[in-house]
Amino acid sequence: MLSRDGDPPEAGLTPAPAEGLNGPQAEAAAHVDGPMVVFAGAGSGKTRVITYRIANLLAACRVPPYRILAVTFTNKAAGEMKRRLERICGPELVRDLWVGTFHATCARLLRRHHEAAGLGKNFIVYDDDDQRAVMSRVFKELKIDDKRHPMRLVMGRIHREKQDGLLAADFTPGNPTEEVVARCFSEYERRLADANAVDFDDLLIRVLRIVEDERSAAGEELRKKFLHVLVDEFQDVNQVQYRLVRGLSRRSTNLFVVGDDDQSIYRWRGADVRIVRNFRRDHPGARIVKLEENYRSTSSVVTAALGVIRPATDREPKELWTNNPPGEPVAVVACATERDEAAFVAERVRELVDQGVSPADVAIFYRVHAQSRVLEEVLRSERLPFQVIGGVRFFERAEVKDLVSYLRVITNPRSDVDLLRIINVPSRKIGDTTVEKLAGLAAELKVPLFEALEPLVRSDRVGPQPKKALARLHALLSDLMTAADTAGPRDLAERVLDETGYARMLEAEGTDEAEGRLLNLRELLGSIEEYERETLAAAEVPTLAGYLEKVALVAVTDELKDAPKVAMMTVHAAKGLEFSHVFLTGMEEDMFPFRSMDPARSGDVEEERRLAYVAITRARARLWIFHAERRMVFGATKYGMPSRFLADLPKEVVTQQKTETMRSSQGRFIDRDGWGAKRPEASQGAPRLSWSHPQARTGGGLERPRLAAPSSERTPGERFIERDDDAPRAASLRRPAPVDVPAPRGLGPGSQVEHPSFGMGVVLEVDGSPDPTATVKFSGWSTKRIKVRFLEVVHQR
DNA sequence: GAATGGCCCGGCTGC
DNA sequence: CGGGCCATTC
């Protein structure tokens, strides 16, 4: 259960056993040898099982924490699991556990083994945006016509290859289009390598390649490192992730996975349900446990969920049940428009809040982000506090990315896309022409753009004005790089804002928009500060690289704050969460199940069905499901009939309702029953377009002031940054071990030291030899014996 | 070299 | 409907 801390059990519901676990749960937590798969139905307490299993491994089996790896689906889930474990086992043991997402875990392992992966130490992680920027440079250089070969298709293809663990060298083109893909693929790879950067897929593939390399010493270390590997949400792993955990657990054979094939909703990004279904086949002798009792929801909700999932084909046989009382029926609400829908939602939320329900116990789900806008507008006008998860994400905002790019250039000057991003922001009179000349020279010299700056200034290829501008930029960045050696991440960020003139540029603008951007930057500084605090609290050294890594890997759900606000998110983002009151909007054919315009990407109705199941099972006590007669989709009015999934809801647990608007307009497109309605024929057309309701108006007076005063943009609804308890423990990057400095005298037990590969550690003992060796306990690693001269002393005892 | 306005095209879910 | 790209203009 990933609910917020301290959630009280709903009135009338049986809480999960307070102490100990029920039969199957206990079995899953206790049998600690060999492979094991747990089929855990929604709300059956799987997080609890994993948590207790780890506690058991630590306390009863005395497994060293740094030899346990637990892979979670989000950073937030990792943080919550750690917090729960701390309460059971105490912070000492928990600190050294490896708990994190696939990506965060791989990033951390890759810091240690960057050499085996052919990466520089301070490699950075490129997000989608960066990947696109790189690829558009590739297209330019290879002179590929974006019309004939749309970039997103090329990138999509490469992405799919990489999800199967394949790189450019493994790709054999079979047709002219693939020919183009192949060329882009290798050029893209080359550019990332030159930039000392990896993308999300690389993060996993690089580690996988090391793990699967029989001859590599690093591979051997990784294969031996973990005595226990546990994976949550196993139904959503892809082939690369599966091979990874197989490799990491091959020696120990202690691979423990928990999943629910009914909740597999990420096939579109490479997840493969067959992996969990075939687990037994792939692991002969694997123990199987099924958790089928739902502790979370009322029986009405469970019954509704079962109705939706039962028609699904090809499921692992299992039967979810609950002892909980029926509670309130599920309300299915017919609405006229999306605005009508939003108004009804807001009204109900208002009632709940007035009755004393915390807004934090309420969530609004939708299939696609685009649906959130109207809901936001109405909730804002009702002064209901809310937070939108995902959508235009904080770290994707231009100003935030700008500052992050500055910081990345400073840690890793080889990153061309970052330099290009900020080369003329704020305006320095370095335009396209100059940039192209710089790129040309860099290509000739075979150096990164940054290193071509000085040569270009010395050359006579550019005029005196650009020369001056380029020289100034070079001096500015060099200064900041020097400053990075001593200043902490937060101070450095502040200096960047100040010395680059970025802050001044925004202040000078004086618009509300600029004001908002400044506010976001301040928030970014706040997040760096928080990172510093958390890292120090964990007795580690905050580094810019550590922060940047964290930034790159925040997941949407990590953004959910513990705040008394209604949470609004896509159903995908809702996975793993639970709320006492849930509003599920947009349950119409073509919307949910979603149907893409592009027949090539026509969705998978089975997956949509599972998605609906996930949505329903998030609700503990009350669930409302909405469908609207018509809805504005991409600027055009679309008429939708109720989703087929509504017809699968058992009638006995459902009440049907209509909004006020629907009642007054006699629900003209919905038959009396509410479902099985026909899509209105075009011939019925004319009157419905002229039909007008004050709320149905588009364009008049209800527009949201998009760039309006930032304060009103942020409250009561706000988009914000993550608060993540799982700070990565990256080694210091800009401080090489002081090889020629004599070992500090008096370095005794208890001293805090830092090592470039292993990160922070505590000295247990030091021998008295002329070139002393220290025994050091590193967080996340076993105790190591290391020459003192390779250690940097952080705190001397 | 920068700023502005028009136009086209995509149009989901996300680490 | 909205973002990104291009052409035009200062």
Side-chain angles (χ1 to χ4, degrees):
Chain A
M1 281 181 290
L2 300 183
S3 61
R4 290 132 201 228
D5 270 357
D7 45 74
E10 292 313 312
L13 296 197
T14 316
E19 287 305 324
L21 306 164
N22 75 13
Q25 288 178 333
E27 187 190 349
H31 287 280
V32 291
D33 290 320
M36 175 149 154
V37 56
V38 176
F39 286 96
S44 63
K46 72 183 159 71
T47 307
R48 187 182 176 79
V49 166
I50 300 179
T51 308
Y52 274 83
R53 185 183 175 86
I54 296 174
N56 187 29
L57 290 171
L58 288 171
C61 309
R62 302 260 159 215
V63 180
Y66 58 87
R67 303 198 69 182
I68 299 174
L69 168 64
V71 183
T72 56
F73 203 68
T74 64
N75 298 300
K76 191 177 152 68
E80 289 184 15
M81 188 178 293
K82 277 191 182 166
R83 231 174 299 139
R84 275 153 200 258
L85 279 164
E86 275 178 13
R87 284 205 292 269
I88 305 171
C89 313
E92 274 305 297
L93 284 173
V94 174
R95 210 180 47 207
D96 289 344
L97 277 173
W98 283 69
V99 183
T101 62
F102 272 106
H103 289 89
T105 302
C106 286
R108 201 170 152 205
L109 289 170
L110 214 47
R111 292 278 166 215
R112 161 83 182 100
H113 293 293
H114 62 89
E115 271 171 13
L119 287 164
K121 196 161 60 175
N122 26 355
F123 68 85
I124 51 181
V125 181
Y126 278 172
D127 66 14
D128 309 357
D129 235 31
D130 306 317
Q131 291 170 38
R132 221 168 301 130
V134 173
M135 195 53 94
S136 77
R137 304 282 306 169
V138 169
F139 268 49
K140 209 174 204 172
E141 179 173 310
L142 300 181
K143 297 194 173 37
I144 287 162
D145 180 9
D146 189 71
K147 291 274 181 298
R148 286 177 49 143
H149 305 281
M151 200 166 84
R152 43 174 285 270
L153 293 186
V154 174
M155 291 184 75
R157 183 60 204 274
I158 292 175
H159 183 47
R160 279 197 304 281
E161 291 295 312
K162 293 176 100 166
Q163 277 174 341
D164 288 334
L166 302 173
L167 294 173
D170 312 304
F171 186 76
T172 8
N175 59 47
T177 305
E178 289 184 345
E179 200 71 54
V180 173
V181 172
R183 285 164 59 215
C184 294
F185 201 165
S186 13
E187 180 60 18
Y188 172 79
E189 227 167 57
R190 194 184 65 76
R191 280 176 178 260
L192 254 62
D194 287 350
N196 193 24
V198 291
D199 64 21
F200 292 130
D201 298 322
D202 290 334
L203 227 33
L204 307 189
I205 296 177
R206 302 292 187 133
V207 176
L208 179 65
R209 298 240 159 161
I210 299 172
V211 170
E212 289 186 346
D213 183 352
E214 299 297 334
R215 287 156 313 186
S216 118
E220 189 56 18
E221 186 182 326
L222 287 180
R223 288 190 295 273
K224 283 199 302 211
K225 178 164 175 54
F226 296 110
L227 294 176
H228 286 269
V229 177
L230 302 89
V231 188
D232 194 7
E233 306 283 7
F234 192 68
Q235 74 280 359
D236 282 322
V237 301
N238 63 31
Q239 286 297 339
V240 170
Q241 293 166 336
Y242 180 45
R243 278 163 63 190
L244 198 55
V245 292
R246 279 199 95 168
L248 289 173
S249 63
R250 211 174 66 204
R251 285 296 170 81
S252 69
T253 74
N254 294 325
L255 176 59
F256 175 89
V257 304
V258 185
D260 179 3
D261 56 334
D262 290 337
Q263 294 187 62
S264 163
I265 57 174
Y266 281 104
R267 210 173 82 144
W268 53 274
R269 67 173 207 210
D272 189 345
V273 218
R274 288 171 308 181
I275 294 174
V276 67
R277 292 201 183 123
N278 294 341
F279 192 84
R280 259 181 295 196
R281 195 199 63 197
D282 292 353
H283 300 265
R287 202 177 280 274
I288 299 145
V289 173
K290 288 184 185 177
L291 307 181
E292 295 171 302
E293 178 173 2
N294 174 299
Y295 296 100
R296 178 187 295 154
S297 313
T298 64
S299 74
S300 295
V301 169
V302 172
T303 306
L306 287 173
V308 168
I309 200 64
R310 215 169 259 137
T313 57
D314 192 25
R315 306 169 57 204
E316 172 75 20
K318 67 182 101 52
E319 203 56 46
L320 198 68
W321 59 278
T322 187
N323 253 332
N324 289 331
E328 297 283 326
V330 174
V332 172
V333 185
C335 314
T337 65
E338 75 274 19
R339 202 160 277 283
D340 189 29
E341 175 185 72
F344 189 91
V345 171
E347 221 173 282
R348 290 291 89 76
V349 174
R350 165 65 62 207
E351 280 173 17
L352 290 170
V353 171
D354 288 349
Q355 287 162 21
V357 173
S358 165
D361 286 333
V362 180
I364 305 172
F365 300 155
Y366 33 78
R367 178 63 180 79
V368 300
H369 285 300
Q371 289 168 256
S372 79
R373 224 193 77 206
V374 178
L375 290 158
E376 285 177 57
E377 280 173 19
V378 175
L379 263 72
R380 184 175 294 119
S381 72
E382 288 292 317
R383 309 212 144 273
L384 288 162
F386 64 89
Q387 51 177 329
V388 181
I389 314 302
V392 184
R393 297 179 53 190
F394 183 78
F395 283 105
E396 286 163 9
R397 300 193 160 201
E399 63 278 14
V400 174
K401 286 219 77 171
D402 286 343
L403 178 51
V404 167
S405 277
Y406 270 110
L407 297 176
R408 295 208 300 201
V409 169
I410 291 164
T411 29
N412 180 17
R414 284 161 58 183
S415 182
D416 287 355
V417 279
D418 286 305
L419 185 67
L420 286 173
R421 185 178 178 96
I422 51 94
I423 197 161
N424 202 30
V425 185
S427 171
R428 311 189 162 87
K429 313 258 177 215
I430 301 174
D432 293 345
T433 333
T434 311
V435 169
E436 284 316 313
K437 280 181 185 154
L438 179 67
L441 183 60
E444 281 172 41
L445 299 175
K446 296 199 191 311
V447 296
L449 292 178
F450 179 77
E451 278 175 44
L453 280 173
E454 272 193 309
L456 187 63
V457 170
R458 281 198 308 270
S459 76
D460 51 5
R461 298 184 183 201
V462 289
Q465 294 302 327
K467 263 190 192 185
K468 246 162 84 185
L470 290 168
R472 264 214 303 277
L473 176 68
H474 185 263
L476 172 70
L477 291 176
S478 303
D479 275 1
L480 289 168
M481 285 170 195
T482 314
D485 287 333
T486 48
R490 146 87 213 219
D491 294 342
L492 190 69
E494 202 148 14
R495 283 190 65 168
V496 168
L497 285 179
D498 181 41
E499 289 171 28
T500 60
Y502 201 100
R504 245 168 299 127
M505 167 186 79
L506 289 175
E507 280 155 15
E509 250 182 74
T511 60
D512 287 346
E513 188 186 343
E515 193 72 32
R517 286 166 190 256
L518 277 168
L519 222 64
N520 284 332
L521 289 171
R522 215 159 298 145
E523 206 163 324
L524 182 64
L525 289 181
S527 114
I528 301 178
E529 208 172 299
E530 195 173 320
Y531 159 76
E532 288 186 346
R533 260 203 314 278
E534 283 169 0
T535 314
L536 288 169
E540 288 167 35
V541 176
T543 62
L544 191 50
Y547 178 73
L548 291 173
E549 182 174 300
K550 202 173 109 102
V551 164
L553 300 177
V554 281
V556 255
T557 19
D558 296 338
E559 297 177 355
L560 180 63
K561 285 201 291 196
D562 276 338
K565 294 175 178 184
V566 174
M568 295 173 46
M569 67 190 87
T570 64
V571 180
H572 281 94
K575 191 174 81 155
L577 304 175
E578 61 175 59
F579 299 88
S580 63
H581 299 79
V582 166
F583 296 85
L584 175 55
T585 67
M587 264 292 182
E588 299 124 40
E589 283 294 298
D590 294 356
M591 199 70 190
F592 199 165
F594 188 87
R595 196 173 55 128
S596 172
M597 302 283 109
D598 180 357
R601 311 201 314 154
S602 67
D604 173 349
V605 175
E606 284 293 298
E607 180 144 314
E608 297 288 318
R609 182 178 287 287
R610 295 190 294 265
L611 193 57
Y613 175 74
V614 168
I616 293 170
T617 52
R618 300 308 95 197
R620 286 203 291 261
R622 288 283 271 141
L623 173 64
W624 288 262
I625 307 181
F626 299 83
H627 58 94
E629 236 179 15
R630 59 188 189 285
R631 179 183 296 277
M632 291 282 276
V633 182
F634 299 116
T637 301
K638 290 274 195 295
Y639 291 81
M641 53 181 181
S643 167
R644 67 190 74 183
F645 302 139
L646 290 174
D648 293 326
L649 295 173
K651 295 254 195 299
E652 65 274 14
V653 296
V654 167
T655 54
Q656 290 179 54
Q657 301 180 15
K658 283 179 179 178
T659 62
E660 194 61 41
T661 312
M662 279 301 276
R663 278 200 294 269
S664 58
S665 68
Q666 306 113 36
R668 73 183 63 183
F669 304 127
I670 309 288
D671 67 17
R672 265 223 314 276
D673 245 10
W675 11 79
K678 302 277 181 305
R679 182 192 299 274
E681 298 300 325
S683 56
Q684 279 179 261
R688 69 174 178 253
L689 287 174
S690 58
W691 184 85
S692 128
H693 180 276
Q695 291 181 319
R697 241 180 330 158
T698 54
L702 288 169
E703 298 302 303
R704 178 164 62 148
R706 257 261 160 234
L707 302 172
S711 50
S712 68
E713 250 257 299
R714 306 201 69 76
T715 47
E718 61 178 336
R719 302 167 194 262
F720 45 75
I721 47 189
E722 96 291 4
R723 285 184 14 183
D724 188 338
D725 302 275
D726 184 27
R729 301 162 186 196
S732 165
L733 296 176
R734 293 192 59 79
R735 269 172 243 168
V739 174
D740 48 2
V741 177
R745 262 172 235 294
L747 182 73
S751 298
Q752 263 182 35
V753 292
E754 191 181 3
H755 183 272
S757 291
F758 300 112
M760 287 298 299
V762 177
V763 174
L764 300 180
E765 62 172 333
V766 187
D767 67 12
S769 61
D771 184 10
T773 302
T775 310
V776 186
K777 170 80 196 74
F778 290 102
S779 132
W781 305 93
S782 59
T783 304
K784 308 242 175 230
R785 286 175 52 77
I786 286 177
K787 293 278 185 210
V788 169
R789 61 190 156 88
F790 292 121
L791 299 169
E792 187 178 348
V793 181
V794 176
H795 201 83
Q796 196 163 321
R797 275 272 170 84

